[in-house]
Amino acid sequence: MSTAKKKDAGREVVSLDALVQQKRDALPEPTTYELFGVEFTLPPMRALPWELQEKVGDLNDTIGVMAEVLGKDKVRELYKVGIQLGDLEVIALDWQKRSGLESGESPASSGS
């Protein structure tokens, strides 16, 4: 597991490509859930795109992150079946667990 080093105009550049790919390959598979007849899939939290931080504002806002990942149509579908805040908490906790995160740990945490 070595990183390739190459010289470029007198400076050393360390490629992280192999290490990043190895970390990505080790991520759990996305999880498909079903709640009150509505099926939805959530990717592992550490696989979320970086720009999500900009859209949501705080990756510790798991419910906000979940709404952004699911999209407006799926969120509306969940509204129609009467989803409650407590239900979202159950989803968020299970999603964190299946993502390999401790409860309350941000996907951007350095503890990865």
Side-chain angles (χ1 to χ4, degrees), residues 6-112:
K6 56 185 173 181
K7 294 286 184 179
D8 184 19
R11 64 188 175 95
E12 182 176 64
V13 177
V14 178
S15 174
L16 299 173
D17 295 352
L19 290 174
V20 166
Q21 190 59 52
Q22 192 175 48
K23 183 99 173 174
R24 288 180 179 190
D25 290 345
L27 290 172
E29 292 295 316
T31 301
T32 299
Y33 294 96
E34 184 274 325
L35 180 63
F36 304 129
V38 178
E39 194 172 287
F40 54 94
T41 301
L42 295 170
M45 289 181 165
R46 286 196 171 105
L48 295 172
W50 189 11
E51 71 252 11
L52 193 60
Q53 171 74 36
E54 197 172 290
K55 289 180 183 177
V56 177
D58 183 359
L59 290 179
N60 286 315
D61 175 9
T62 307
I63 293 172
V65 171
M66 187 183 342
E68 186 67 34
V69 169
L70 292 176
K72 291 178 182 174
D73 290 341
K74 190 57 72 174
V75 168
R76 274 191 226 112
E77 199 176 336
L78 288 166
Y79 286 165
K80 286 180 184 175
V81 296
I83 195 165
Q84 300 175 348
L85 285 174
D87 305 337
L88 291 173
E89 185 177 286
V90 170
I91 297 166
L93 290 173
D94 192 74
W95 186 25
Q96 287 176 332
K97 182 182 84 177
R98 291 176 187 275
S99 292
L101 301 176
E102 294 295 321
S103 180
E105 182 182 356
S106 166
S109 169
S110 61
S112 52

